[in-house]
Amino acid sequence: MENKIIETKILTTSEHDIKTAAEIIRGGGLAAFPTETVYGLGASAYDEDAAKKIYAAKGRPSDNPLIVHVASAEQIKDVALEIPKSAARVIEKFMPGPITIILKKKDTIPDTVTAGLSTVAVRCPDNGTARSLIEKAGVPIAAPSANLSGKPSPTKAKHVINDMTGRIDAIIDGGSCRVGVESTIVDFSSERPVILRPGGVTYEDLKNAGVDVDIDRHILETIDAKETPKCPGMKYKHYAPNAEVIVVEGEKDAVQSKIKALISENKGKIIGVLTMFGADYDDAVMLSAGDTNRKYAKNLFSALREFDELGAEIVFAEFCERDAYALAVRNRLYKAAAQRVIHV
Ligand code: TXA
Ligand code: MG
């Protein structure tokens, strides 16, 4: 579908502006909004044509379903057929929060939203603006991350403004996102719950809450083009900046001497380093990932976009496992690096 250029309103998080965005959504338009994970690109989850506009605005393949956002746990009943016991436990412990659950869908949700699947992904965000928007819209909101397809997810309003101006009706500027990577996705539609995407609610968090889950083996692997993964989003190239990204993973000293060697092998290129350890490399543009994996999650997407602005041709990313966010960070980082990972 050809995209028509439309006027994009930049809104604040005031009551008045949230109402404006809610009216846009109720009227079949598109409005981007902040959540605690990343910015979402919202439309009424009951409106098939509005959902089609989301795919067009992002350039998203139509076989990649959208997450339906609700304002409260109560509202899940409007979109899901049934809530298994283990899912009810997750709802009670972690919602609102950075987690999405896959449930069997009700007919209220059109096929365009779920890309023809019989399941629906549901999430209740822990962000006041997001929940107020859903309440005021009076409908659940279908929303993927508000980036152009293939680009890093937006964690600041300026990222959305860069990608979506002229393509959507409004953008609510709610500052920086607290978590910085997308929600954990857990599939409850088959016998045993499975983590399809790691995120702000960790495997350890789930285990400690008594929720017994498996981890999908695709999380740290590349998907074979012939396979059909459970989470359609897994098979697409993601988070890719213009630069070639190479992850160097291990303890500080080994990582830094490897990166120094790589920098001298790549003389003449514009080199970026995403650093956890805060080293000082000559001949490279440095951005800080933070010294924990939690901070890394918050900074990663923004840093990938900044390296593009700086014109980096090659980016070396220091990585060392430090806390339970390691899985979520590795998952995004390995994808950004197209699985080019050097273990030292
Ligand atoms: O944190 C988040 O989840 C953000 C914010 C905006 O809420 N949203 C987000 O949406 O990351 P998106 O569209 O970028 O990623 C949704 C992922 C895709 O990989 C998609 O394939 C998967 O969820 N998904 C959606 N519905 C599904 C379903 N019924 N079964 C399996 N996977 C599903
Ligand atoms: Mg996305």
Side-chain angles (χ1 to χ4, degrees), residues 26 28 54 59 86 105 160 163 191 212 249 255 278 295 326 344:
R26 245 202 328 267
I54 290 182
S86 49
K105 91 172 184 77
V160 186
D163 282 12
E191 204 98 318
D212 192 18
E249 181 166 338
V255 165
K295 289 183 204 161
V344 291

Side-chain angles (χ1 to χ4, degrees), residues 12-318:
T12 69
T13 54
S14 70
E15 277 280 309
H16 172 270
D17 280 12
I18 295 175
K19 241 185 227 158
T20 304
E23 274 157 25
I24 287 170
I25 286 177
R26 245 202 328 267
L30 305 185
F33 59 97
T35 82
E36 78 279 25
T37 57
V38 301
Y39 276 76
L41 174 52
S44 165
Y46 293 154
D47 185 336
E48 176 127 44
D49 291 332
K52 283 185 185 151
K53 286 189 205 164
I54 290 182
Y55 289 93
K58 278 182 65 88
R60 183 180 178 104
S62 60
D63 66 349
N64 193 5
L66 311 176
I67 293 176
V68 172
H69 295 67
V70 293
S72 65
E74 261 311 287
Q75 207 177 8
I76 297 175
K77 299 193 185 85
D78 297 345
V79 303
L81 266 188
E82 56 193 27
I83 299 175
K85 242 196 179 146
S86 49
R89 175 95 183 134
V90 166
I91 293 166
E92 181 200 320
K93 291 290 282 187
F94 299 107
M95 285 196 189
I99 191 159
T100 295
I101 55 177
I102 310 281
L103 301 169
K104 298 208 169 84
K105 91 172 184 77
K106 266 195 178 156
D107 289 342
T108 48
I109 301 296
D111 282 344
T112 318
V113 170
T114 60
L117 297 176
S118 59
T119 54
V120 61
V122 192
R123 156 160 151 73
C124 180
D126 181 23
N127 175 294
T129 300
R131 284 208 309 281
S132 163
L133 175 67
I134 304 164
E135 262 164 32
K136 288 184 168 63
V139 287
I141 294 182
S145 50
N147 51 287
L148 287 173
S149 200
K151 288 245 199 172
S153 295
T155 54
K156 295 178 181 169
K158 71 169 183 191
H159 303 153
V160 186
I161 292 169
N162 284 343
D163 282 12
M164 290 297 159
T165 300
R167 295 174 165 262
I168 64 176
D169 301 291
I171 299 168
I172 300 178
D173 182 346
S176 292
C177 300
R178 171 170 67 79
V179 177
V181 290
E182 308 87 343
S183 61
T184 306
I185 301 181
V186 186
D187 184 0
F188 287 96
S189 69
S190 40
E191 204 98 318
R192 266 182 73 76
V194 185
I195 297 181
L196 301 182
R197 179 175 75 182
V201 173
T202 65
Y203 173 74
E204 286 76 4
D205 292 335
L206 290 162
K207 225 171 50 185
N208 292 338
V211 185
D212 192 18
V213 289
D214 293 335
I215 301 180
D216 192 279
R217 68 180 175 85
H218 292 115
I219 280 177
L220 294 177
E221 290 171 13
T222 346
I223 304 286
D224 189 314
K226 292 189 286 290
E227 277 185 87
T228 309
K230 281 206 202 113
C231 182
M234 281 178 169
K235 69 173 182 271
Y236 293 107
K237 188 175 168 205
H238 252 95
Y239 319 123
N242 299 328
E244 179 183 1
V245 178
I246 295 172
V247 181
V248 183
E249 181 166 338
E251 289 303 324
K252 177 177 174 183
D253 291 348
V255 165
Q256 297 196 329
S257 56
K258 182 68 191 174
I259 292 181
K260 277 183 190 148
L262 289 166
I263 289 174
S264 49
E265 281 166 30
N266 285 278
K267 277 224 159 70
K269 286 192 184 154
I270 303 174
I271 298 173
V273 177
L274 183 58
T275 179
M276 273 187 84
F277 307 119
D280 202 9
Y281 298 101
D282 290 332
D283 305 321
V285 192
M286 312 273 296
L287 291 178
S288 174
D291 57 359
T292 64
N293 299 148
R294 199 182 181 110
K295 289 183 204 161
Y296 210 125
K298 183 171 167 142
N299 294 326
L300 175 62
F301 289 144
S302 184
L304 292 176
R305 284 179 180 258
E306 213 173 321
F307 280 126
D308 274 353
E309 280 166 25
L310 294 165
E313 294 165 282
I314 185 159
V315 171
F316 300 116
E318 297 179 348

